[in-house]
Amino acid sequence: MRNPECCEVMTPHEQRLFDKMEGKEDRFRAGHSRVFTILESFEGLRPRIDVERAKYFTESMRATEGQPLVLRWAKAMRHIAENISVYIDDHQLLAGRAGAQGRYGILYPELDGDFLGLAIEDLPKRTESPFTITPEDARVVVDEIAPFWKGKTYHESLNLALPADVHKLTYDDPEGLHSRFIVNETSSFRSSIQWVHDYEKVLKKGFGGLKQEALEKLAALDPLSPADNCEKRPFLEAVTIVCDAMAIWARRHAALAREKAGVETNATRKAELLTMADICERVPEHPARTFHEAVQSQWFTQMFSRIEQKTGTIVSNGRMDQYLYPFYEKDMAEGRLTEDSALELIECMWVGMAQFIDLYISPTGGAFNEGYAHWEAVTVGGQTTDGRDATNDLTYLFLKSKREFPLHYPDLAARIHSRAPERYLWEVAETIKDGSGFPKLINDEEIIPLYVSKGATFEEAYDYAVSGCTEARMPNRDTYTSGGAYINFAAALEMVLYNGRMKKYGVADLGEHTGDPCEFKSWDDLWNAYVAQHKLFLKTAFMQQHIINNLRARHFAQPMGSTLHDLCMKHCLDLHTPQIPEGINLGYFEYIGYGTVVDSLAALKKVVFEDKTLTMAEVIEALECNFEGKEDVRQILRNAPCYGNNDDYADTIARDIDQLSVEYGARYSKDLGMHNDVRYVPFTSHVPFGKVVSATPNGRKAWSPLSDGSSASHGADVNGPTAVLLSNFSSKNYGYRSRAARMLNIKFTPKCLEGDDGTQKLVSFIRTFCDLKLWHVQFNVINRETLLAAQRDPEKYRNLIVRIAGYSAYFVDLSPDLQNDLIARTEHGTM
Amino acid sequence: MNPTDDTNGNGIIFNIQKYSVHDGPGIRTVVFLKGCPLRCEWCSNPESQATRIQLAYNTGRCLGLSQCVRCVEMCLSGAISRGEDERIVIDRALCAECTRDCTSVCPSNALITYGVRRTVREVLRTVEQDSLFYARSGGGMTLSGGEPLMQGDFALALLREARKRRIGTAVETCGHVQWETLDEACRLTRTLLFDLKHVDPARHEAGTGVTSTLILENFRRVMEHHPKLHVMVRTPVIPGFNDDEAAISAILDVLAPYPHVEYSLLPYHRLGTQKYHFLGREAPMGEVKLDDKRMASLSRLVAARRG
Ligand code: SF4
Ligand code: SF4
């Protein structure tokens, strides 16, 4: 502690920053020296683009034109496995990377190769998330890779396939290089939405075992059936090829490990390398026998999956504390493993993940995922397939690792259910208090009944794994779709105000002609106009999705992912097939700007139609000049009821808006053969979406970010965290099943969480979150930096409450002097 | 008034604060009642002192007279005039008889009133919204102030209604109240937060305007008549008033016979100074700060004596 004299609270996360500033060694370094050393070897390095995956993929695809796509893909995978450079990093205990050492990203030209020329010039200059590329690699991209894909990429097909009325709300230019950020398609910057493999299958059967299954199925095909021969045979052959590819790739690592061991002078490292060589010879081809083998097998599988396709936000890790536990338990019992050595292996995986960057080469993709974000979720806790609590020693080890090892990866997700043990919630709460924002919480009590209602069995639903940012997957039952539309409903609102137009796009007629808003006589007129625009956007999104669903299978195959899926193997169909019998296709579309729209409608309802403080014309005049010289109008609007305060006035509007979406989804998802349900999870896209929306009636200035997920507008939730949860609850339509994830972020001041008493209160808060059947919540513990930011930008932080016994006030209302005092004291936890 | 049906009874409150975690057990909602018999120099809620509704002006939020003159136009008594730096000046003496709601025209909530009249039913409706959180955390409603028992009937009615709705309760008192009211509150509440600021009557009077006599007498009677009640005693540690070992030791002596009573020190902070300015007053304590070292040594003293 900085000043041990005084009763202070720093989050361990802050403590670490201070230690670093003072040049002190991280207090956990001693216990984790291997991973710290690896971390320091790449921390802060600018990521580079590695072109090998794209190069070998293209080489193979060039040679197999005309053959069934799944077979071509498998051959390409084998070609990559045979040729791509293999690496074993210094100090690492796990072998396998998908590209060069340091931080790196790889290319998927089949997806969006038409952006490549542009991107190679642009990426190093990009302000958010820049990448470097060597001149030789740049040449390979421009001369060898890009030309082959010209006219063949998924993105070009989609651009051509969209009807004019859909295209104009999707893209800003005829080539579809730039998004309009209105009904934004996301399928062209990832081959599928987020996904989780059934890793347990690899650990238990090995790819050798899975290949054997495919061979048996091949032998059992009807030799005279054209369907068996034209459809099933190529699929099964592809499975055998890709299983071979996995073994080839692993054995090349074994050879490299032996080679390195041969020249290694340090005896300890030499022994490590020889062990690694043995393990890479065994897995993932054969079943894993030890914890180390299991971790290596999983790592090979997920790294190769990254090579196979660009899965949205990167393929997730599934329920690691469940499928690794038998290996852990056995090794511990037999004395092969200690808690520390298990932790070291796991953390070797974390630092491996941290180096792989989710590279988006299209400008839209880049804007969606600022700061190199990736979400390869690791799920802990939850329930067993028969509905009992699933926590075990590994669960606690993962939580411990998150507290002690300062890394954003993996994205740790803790499942919460009504009978979660107190110890589990306690440790989850302690980990959150650490201040890095992890784990995020996902609620079994919402997801399991919902998934059962969508057609899953209880066993499948109980066994879901968190996937990507907030989703839940059943790796053998659900089948995926392409990324769905991200819909800017704040643009729908703007179109209500300007009769189908937007300031950003001038005279272009984009929306419905809902008339001159100054002629609206009542709230009903306004609401109906919004409904009309809302429905147009939904129709556009669903048409997009319809086209995408059918287009996708012509461009992508995923033989390895399909090998791991029960239904794909049963029906001999690639996972990209639009309809897989018995599958449950869980897709979604995204509502962007929820708080912004709700607050804007609530403000107009109250100020214009009820209190009549302002006329619609006055409001629009102020919006048109972005409130320049109209601060009074802005304040009046802003002080109307807002979503996020457990205020019925705003929350009722929020629920009505949600209902428009769930109703539409319930009615028209059938046309798509999927569940296309409403979700509120923006990544960082509420920022670029805000950049096309002019000033809004909630007092938001033009081009500034929209509200985030199902959270309140910036600073609008002035009643504290309980009200935020309750608003979220009140605005949901529990009578419908056509709903997907809702993301909710909540800020806490360290003082509220101080000591055991604070932890206990957080545990109660989490239990109430569970009772309320909300989908997701993630906490941020406010630190000094937050307060400094609040001083600079009071508008955004007007909800920040200083809570001290018997006293409370808004931080932004304090004089600068008192604010400074509090900033100094935050380190002491008085806030 | 019929004590079983007094939900239409009303009183003046100045805030309802959700998610309070430092004012009793669990997650709580604090209802701040207006009015206090004490005038502590260090009060961090100066808006709590007077029982009447008061006009407050937050210069930081005011848009400035070149942007907005709504309140100036609204006021017919000449109480609001144009001051320097674009700000208004309020002569509160002229507001006494006024019934015009000048705060309603202020776009930015710079001009507000401290205090609003609410019925028991209205208060409990808001409090009950968080009942799930109370149930999970062992929390509930805390009556604070001011001195909540100064509006005795209202406070007791709130406690009764909370009981009926199965909401846990706590009362925060300065102790300087009628014994009958306090006695009844102790019967109704689950937790009592009792402030002891100084034992010495003269020192107490110098800092708060009243002697400690009634407070200590009431404390003793609470201990005697409600031996099973969950009581938490707190002392705000104020520089120059009681931030010395003698003062705290004397309080510890009072508490010595009652080991079941929880005791804690609340370090002085000057975050209330802003609110004095909103009310057009100077903060009596000025810029004085509590010395961290002193506070730490007093905490050690308390830890040593109460374990
Ligand atoms: S309360 Fe009445 S007299 Fe006082 S400032 Fe407001 S309008 Fe003027
Ligand atoms: S009405 Fe409000 S914003 Fe306008 S001058 Fe008066 S105090 Fe300032």
Side-chain angles (χ1 to χ4, degrees):
Chain A
M1 287 271 160
R2 232 184 177 188
N3 175 5
E5 271 306 297
C6 187
C7 38
E8 54 184 27
V9 196
M10 258 195 258
T11 67
H13 190 71
E14 284 182 287
Q15 180 69 49
R16 234 178 238 135
L17 293 174
F18 282 116
D19 286 352
K20 211 166 180 178
M21 272 154 50
E22 290 173 6
K24 273 195 248 162
E25 188 179 291
D26 193 291
R27 68 195 168 103
F28 289 117
R29 197 183 196 288
H32 308 252
S33 64
R34 182 191 300 273
V35 285
F36 270 89
T37 309
I38 299 173
L39 181 63
E40 284 151 12
S41 73
F42 64 82
E43 222 180 6
L45 288 186
R46 180 180 281 207
R48 61 173 277 198
I49 297 173
D50 185 293
V51 302
E52 283 197 21
R53 183 269 174 197
K55 178 175 162 219
Y56 294 119
F57 184 76
T58 306
E59 268 179 20
S60 178
M61 293 302 271
R62 200 193 303 270
T64 57
E65 262 180 299
Q67 299 175 22
L69 190 60
V70 67
L71 204 50
R72 294 179 70 197
W73 218 279
K75 288 175 180 172
M77 289 306 109
R78 190 175 57 199
H79 185 63
I80 294 170
E82 285 166 345
N83 293 291
I84 198 168
S85 304
V86 293
Y87 303 89
I88 288 172
D89 298 353
D90 293 346
H91 309 288
Q92 253 292 3
L93 295 175
L94 298 177
R97 309 170 56 91
Q101 274 157 325
R103 298 209 291 169
Y104 65 104
I106 61 178
L107 298 170
Y108 303 87
E110 68 275 22
L111 187 61
D112 50 7
D114 48 328
F115 288 100
L116 276 174
L118 205 85
I120 295 306
E121 264 182 40
D122 234 38
L123 281 172
K125 292 182 287 191
R126 204 153 80 177
T127 47
E128 76 270 3
S129 324
F131 280 80
T132 57
I133 184 165
T134 65
E136 170 55 16
D137 280 356
R139 190 200 60 77
V140 169
V141 172
V142 175
D143 294 350
E144 295 176 21
I145 300 174
F148 172 77
W149 292 101
K150 182 134 194 51
K152 296 194 184 75
T153 65
Y154 168 78
H155 173 257
E156 287 160 288
S157 285
L158 177 62
N159 183 54
L160 293 173
L162 294 179
D165 56 337
V166 177
H167 195 282
K168 76 174 177 183
L169 289 172
T170 310
Y171 295 128
D172 199 25
D173 58 321
E175 285 76 39
L177 295 176
H178 297 279
S179 173
R180 274 223 147 124
F181 291 107
I182 299 176
V183 182
N184 187 99
E185 63 86 12
T186 66
S187 66
S188 73
F189 51 83
R190 49 221 175 125
S191 305
S192 78
I193 45 176
Q194 32 61 36
W195 185 250
V196 185
H197 295 302
D198 178 5
Y199 293 105
E200 189 173 4
K201 206 176 270 166
V202 182
L203 305 189
K204 284 193 172 154
K205 297 182 176 173
F207 279 98
L210 293 164
K211 178 184 174 184
Q212 202 49 47
E213 285 176 17
L215 289 173
E216 282 160 20
K217 281 176 179 286
L218 272 169
L221 290 180
D222 177 349
L224 297 178
S225 155
D228 276 17
N229 282 297
C230 294
E231 289 164 23
K232 294 187 174 172
R233 182 174 298 281
F235 173 81
L236 291 168
E237 281 174 356
V239 170
T240 66
I241 293 169
V242 88
C243 289
D244 285 345
M246 288 302 300
I248 293 165
W249 193 54
R251 280 201 292 269
R252 290 180 61 217
H253 287 88
L256 179 62
R258 265 188 224 297
E259 194 185 310
K260 287 198 164 216
V263 295
E264 178 61 58
T265 50
N266 178 311
T268 318
R269 181 61 183 160
K270 192 186 190 85
E272 282 171 6
L273 286 164
L274 289 173
T275 306
M276 287 169 73
D278 290 344
I279 291 172
C280 295
E281 259 151 30
R282 165 119 199 139
V283 295
E285 187 177 3
H286 302 289
R289 294 164 303 185
T290 63
F291 188 73
H292 193 158
E293 285 182 358
V295 174
Q296 178 66 64
S297 186
Q298 197 275 15
W299 180 242
F300 272 139
T301 309
Q302 67 158 299
M303 285 321 275
F304 205 72
S305 176
R306 297 171 192 220
I307 289 173
E308 185 174 45
Q309 75 165 27
K310 184 167 178 55
T311 301
T313 68
I314 305 189
V315 72
S316 288
N317 284 287
R319 305 185 69 187
M320 280 186 108
D321 64 341
Q322 302 303 305
Y323 62 73
L324 288 179
Y325 186 67
F327 301 95
Y328 176 82
E329 196 184 21
K330 182 158 172 278
D331 282 11
M332 289 292 271
E334 293 171 8
R336 243 189 318 272
L337 197 71
T338 63
E339 227 184 62
D340 285 345
S341 61
L343 209 54
E344 193 169 52
L345 279 168
I346 296 289
E347 289 172 353
C348 274
M349 192 187 258
W350 299 171
V351 283
M353 276 177 206
Q355 293 173 66
F356 182 97
I357 308 295
D358 200 11
L359 170 59
Y360 289 88
I361 65 166
S362 73
T364 314
F368 263 53
N369 293 273
E370 268 187 43
Y372 313 111
H374 41 116
W375 283 274
E376 54 273 269
V378 167
T379 309
V380 295
Q383 298 170 77
T384 61
T385 49
D386 61 348
R388 281 155 222 284
D389 179 66
T391 52
N392 59 39
D393 290 347
L394 262 186
T395 315
Y396 295 108
L397 205 60
F398 283 114
L399 288 168
K400 180 176 168 195
S401 164
K402 193 44 113 186
R403 289 194 293 273
E404 297 188 353
F405 189 47
L407 198 62
H408 286 306
Y409 307 101
D411 184 12
L412 192 66
R415 278 178 52 176
I416 306 293
H417 64 87
S418 62
R419 290 154 289 102
E422 199 67 7
R423 176 190 169 192
Y424 175 63
L425 293 185
W426 185 271
E427 290 209 19
V428 162
E430 286 282 317
T431 312
I432 289 167
K433 278 174 67 175
D434 179 277
S436 64
F438 293 104
K440 59 189 179 187
L441 310 182
I442 304 284
N443 194 350
D444 284 11
E445 306 307 330
E446 163 70 343
I447 291 168
I448 290 165
L450 193 57
Y451 278 21
V452 169
S453 83
K454 292 185 188 190
T457 65
F458 270 114
E459 288 90 331
E460 289 161 343
Y462 276 130
D463 201 25
Y464 80 84
V466 179
S467 174
C469 204
T470 53
E471 287 305 312
R473 292 273 164 225
M474 301 171 289
N476 282 301
R477 185 68 197 272
D478 93 61
T479 63
Y480 58 47
T481 180
S482 298
Y486 277 46
I487 313 176
N488 189 345
F489 283 101
L493 178 84
E494 189 175 343
M495 289 180 191
V496 170
L497 299 172
Y498 303 113
N499 195 12
R501 292 181 180 169
M502 289 173 74
K503 291 279 151 210
K504 168 86 183 172
Y505 299 114
V507 295
D509 256 324
L510 296 171
E512 301 284 6
H513 292 160
T514 42
D516 176 358
C518 297
E519 304 288 313
F520 294 165
K521 294 281 173 290
S522 64
W523 156 249
D524 284 345
D525 290 352
L526 174 68
W527 172 251
N528 291 334
Y530 175 75
V531 171
Q533 306 290 1
H534 189 109
K535 286 192 172 155
L536 170 71
F537 281 23
L538 288 179
K539 177 185 120 181
T540 308
F542 275 59
M543 284 174 69
Q544 251 182 25
Q545 194 69 40
H546 196 286
I547 291 161
I548 288 166
N549 286 354
N550 294 310
L551 209 55
R552 183 164 68 102
R554 302 217 293 272
H555 287 268
F556 308 123
Q558 196 192 11
M560 190 197 82
S562 308
T563 303
L564 299 179
H565 197 297
D566 285 351
L567 294 177
C568 292
M569 287 295 277
K570 179 175 173 189
H571 299 289
C572 298
L573 288 172
D574 185 86
L575 200 39
H576 280 283
T577 312
Q579 304 288 336
I580 297 173
E582 302 171 75
I584 303 173
N585 189 337
L586 296 174
Y588 49 79
F589 61 91
E590 202 75 56
Y591 193 115
I592 307 282
Y594 194 44
T596 308
V597 174
V598 174
D599 295 352
S600 295
L601 288 174
L604 291 174
K605 182 178 185 189
K606 179 101 177 96
V607 172
V608 175
F609 295 108
E610 284 176 14
D611 295 354
K612 300 190 167 46
T613 322
L614 297 168
T615 64
M616 186 68 92
E618 283 170 325
V619 173
I620 290 177
E621 189 197 345
L623 296 177
E624 294 219 51
C625 64
N626 197 20
F627 301 111
E628 290 301 330
K630 301 274 179 198
E631 186 57 24
D632 50 344
V633 173
R634 199 173 83 87
Q635 290 292 334
I636 291 170
L637 292 167
R638 214 188 61 161
N639 286 316
C642 291
Y643 170 71
N645 293 299
N646 193 28
D647 174 341
D648 270 349
Y649 195 94
D651 292 355
T652 305
I653 296 175
R655 189 172 58 240
D656 289 347
I657 289 177
D658 183 77
Q659 186 163 353
L660 293 176
S661 299
V662 290
E663 257 175 8
Y664 191 96
R667 178 136 179 228
Y668 290 107
S669 271
K670 288 193 276 294
D671 290 15
L672 306 178
M674 63 183 287
H675 294 271
N676 202 29
D677 299 334
V678 62
R679 182 178 102 136
Y680 300 81
V681 185
F683 302 92
T684 57
S685 65
H686 56 294
V687 179
F689 278 80
K691 286 185 180 147
V692 303
V693 179
S694 67
T696 41
N698 63 331
R700 176 191 146 277
K701 296 262 180 83
W703 331 125
S704 66
L706 304 176
S707 62
D708 157 13
S710 62
S711 305
S713 302
H714 283 310
D717 47 330
V718 295
N719 279 350
T722 57
V724 173
L725 287 197
L726 291 170
S727 267
N728 217 289
F729 171 82
S730 304
S731 59
K732 285 178 73 164
N733 286 281
Y734 285 95
Y736 290 80
R737 66 172 190 179
S738 45
R739 61 181 193 268
R742 275 183 175 226
M743 185 171 93
L744 183 60
N745 291 315
I746 290 187
K747 285 196 181 76
F748 275 117
T749 51
K751 180 77 175 173
C752 291
L753 306 177
E754 185 186 355
D756 281 358
D757 203 33
T759 306
Q760 191 59 57
K761 279 167 188 168
L762 183 54
V763 167
S764 322
F765 192 83
I766 293 169
R767 288 223 186 262
T768 314
F769 153 80
C770 184
D771 293 339
L772 290 170
K773 300 186 192 299
L774 305 180
W775 187 296
H776 156 280
V777 70
Q778 187 158 3
F779 301 98
N780 294 312
V781 182
I782 288 171
N783 53 32
R784 214 169 157 269
E785 282 75 59
T786 320
L787 296 185
L788 289 170
Q791 241 181 349
R792 284 192 301 271
D793 188 1
E795 182 71 7
K796 199 169 153 189
Y797 293 91
R798 65 193 155 110
N799 59 340
L800 209 59
I801 299 176
V802 184
R803 291 167 199 275
I804 295 178
Y807 168 91
S808 85
Y810 291 108
F811 178 77
V812 298
D813 272 354
L814 298 173
S815 67
D817 169 42
L818 290 172
Q819 288 180 350
N820 288 335
D821 201 38
L822 266 181
I823 289 170
R825 277 163 174 269
T826 310
E827 295 152 27
H828 309 221
T830 34
M831 197 187 150
Chain B
M1 198 187 295
N2 174 359
T4 57
D5 183 25
D6 44 11
T7 51
N8 288 320
N10 62 61
I12 297 178
I13 62 171
F14 66 92
N15 192 8
I16 296 183
Q17 164 82 52
K18 300 272 184 75
Y19 194 72
S20 292
V21 289
H22 309 298
D23 305 274
I27 294 170
R28 314 193 67 84
T29 296
V30 180
V31 181
F32 291 90
L33 278 69
K34 228 163 136 26
C36 186
L38 273 54
R39 286 294 176 270
C40 306
E41 287 188 337
W42 55 84
C43 182
S44 65
N45 294 327
E47 76 277 33
S48 72
Q49 294 179 339
T51 313
R52 65 172 197 285
I53 294 170
Q54 288 169 291
L55 190 62
Y57 173 52
N58 178 346
T59 49
R61 287 194 177 203
C62 179
L63 298 175
L65 290 167
S66 59
Q67 283 262 342
C68 168
V69 288
R70 287 174 172 79
C71 60
V72 184
E73 286 171 355
M74 182 77 174
C75 180
L76 301 177
S77 325
I80 299 183
S81 54
R82 293 162 182 263
E84 285 168 15
D85 274 350
E86 294 264 298
R87 306 294 116 170
I88 57 166
V89 176
I90 308 170
D91 181 354
R92 288 179 175 77
L94 298 175
C95 300
E97 304 292 313
C98 174
T99 54
R100 284 175 78 78
D101 187 4
C102 54
T103 59
S104 69
V105 298
C106 177
S108 60
N109 288 339
L111 201 60
I112 57 166
T113 46
Y114 280 134
V116 54
R117 194 168 280 284
R118 287 279 176 266
T119 65
V120 171
R121 194 191 307 268
E122 284 166 341
V123 171
L124 263 300
R125 190 187 301 142
T126 306
V127 170
E128 200 173 29
Q129 289 174 335
D130 279 10
S131 61
L132 204 50
F133 293 92
Y134 313 146
R136 281 299 190 183
S137 68
M141 173 181 82
T142 298
L143 298 185
S144 178
E147 168 52 58
L149 300 180
M150 221 177 140
Q151 298 185 55
D153 289 342
F154 179 50
L156 295 176
L158 288 170
L159 291 173
R160 277 187 209 104
E161 184 60 18
R163 225 179 140 98
K164 191 158 118 195
R165 300 189 192 206
R166 311 306 301 156
I167 293 169
T169 48
V171 173
E172 212 183 326
T173 184
C174 69
H176 193 84
V177 292
Q178 270 189 351
W179 165 248
E180 290 67 28
T181 314
L182 180 57
D183 188 32
E184 179 64 10
C186 289
R187 258 190 281 282
L188 292 168
T189 191
R190 222 178 262 176
T191 299
L192 184 71
L193 300 150
F194 201 116
D195 277 12
L196 289 179
K197 302 180 175 85
H198 213 296
V199 174
D200 182 73
R203 292 288 295 132
H204 198 280
E205 184 168 15
T208 70
V210 304
T211 71
S212 57
T213 319
L214 176 60
I215 296 171
L216 292 170
E217 171 63 9
N218 275 338
F219 181 69
R220 195 191 50 71
R221 290 172 84 167
V222 169
M223 290 295 107
E224 184 187 330
H225 294 277
H226 303 280
K228 296 224 170 80
L229 183 63
H230 177 215
V231 178
M232 301 165 82
V233 172
R234 307 189 301 179
T235 301
V237 180
I238 310 301
F241 173 70
N242 62 4
D243 62 339
D244 55 277
E245 290 210 0
I248 302 301
S249 279
I251 295 173
L252 287 166
D253 291 343
V254 171
L255 299 180
Y258 316 112
H260 70 287
V261 168
E262 291 172 38
Y263 181 57
S264 53
L265 300 178
L266 303 175
Y268 171 72
H269 61 80
R270 51 194 192 107
L271 296 167
T273 49
Q274 198 82 352
K275 293 197 255 182
Y276 283 92
H277 301 149
F278 296 170
L279 286 165
R281 295 171 57 190
E282 284 303 316
M285 297 274 289
E287 299 298 297
V288 180
K289 288 186 194 177
L290 177 63
D291 184 71
D292 284 346
K293 288 215 174 67
R294 280 197 127 163
M295 180 66 206
S297 89
L298 294 176
S299 297
R300 279 196 298 272
L301 173 70
V302 170
R305 289 205 32 195
R306 297 205 57 95

